[in-house]
Amino acid sequence: MDYYGIKTEAEILSGGIMKASKTFDRRKDAEAIGVAVKSLRKEARTWFKRRNDIDDMLPKASAWYHVTYHPRYWGCYNGGLKRDHFISFPWCVYDQLIQIKKEKARNRPVFDLSSHLSSLRGQLSDKLVLK
């Protein structure tokens, strides 16, 4: 990013580079960056799948997400470089993150508004009758 004068991670991932150094060739360099991003994602997925333990995949994906987004770890890897905190790393294993989200949603109790409304209606009618 420094070499090309690219400021944000979003520009790299989307390919929509807003402002770059004068040596940046939109066609050639943008294509090279796209290939590099795909290569990094592939490499991260191989780190993730290094062990073929299926039971280990969801906790590992959750840990990757946690250390990327939790405030306690925010900016820790920068080591005084005053760089933005990059947030795309855990999304290399997006399929695992989606599976975690689906399982949590499936296990979450459904909010039943009708039961709360009838309870509220009963409380209101009791107060109206007492007055």
Side-chain angles (χ1 to χ4, degrees):
M1 287 176 58
D2 292 338
Y3 178 78
Y4 291 113
I6 298 168
K7 300 294 180 204
T8 67
E9 179 183 25
E11 290 176 79
I12 290 282
L13 296 174
S14 69
I17 297 162
M18 304 300 286
K19 192 175 181 182
S21 68
K22 294 180 188 215
T23 60
F24 184 79
D25 179 311
R26 284 232 179 251
R27 187 166 171 257
K28 183 182 74 163
D29 292 333
E31 187 177 317
I33 289 170
V35 169
V37 167
K38 284 180 185 175
S39 176
L40 282 170
R41 282 184 184 147
K42 186 177 180 180
E43 184 178 350
R45 287 187 70 79
T46 60
W47 298 335
F48 183 77
K49 293 180 178 182
R50 190 169 287 155
R51 290 178 47 210
N52 288 334
D53 187 2
I54 299 297
D55 294 335
D56 195 35
M57 293 176 94
L58 294 181
K60 190 184 293 186
S62 180
W64 283 16
Y65 185 89
H66 179 80
V67 298
T68 299
Y69 288 99
H70 194 278
R72 183 172 172 195
Y73 300 103
W74 198 262
C76 289
Y77 65 89
N78 288 332
L81 297 175
K82 295 186 181 183
R83 289 187 175 173
D84 287 337
H85 182 85
F86 297 135
I87 59 174
S88 66
F89 175 69
W91 296 104
C92 292
V93 291
Y94 68 89
D95 51 337
Q96 302 298 318
L97 296 175
I98 290 170
Q99 185 176 344
I100 292 168
K101 182 68 173 175
K102 284 180 180 178
E103 286 180 14
K104 284 191 178 225
R106 199 175 318 130
N107 295 332
R108 189 176 298 140
V110 177
F111 182 73
D112 183 14
L113 187 59
S114 62
S115 67
H116 290 287
L117 285 175
S118 56
S119 171
L120 185 61
R121 198 176 297 126
Q123 290 174 7
L124 284 173
S125 65
D126 288 347
K127 287 185 180 190
L128 291 174
V129 170
L130 292 175
K131 289 185 177 187

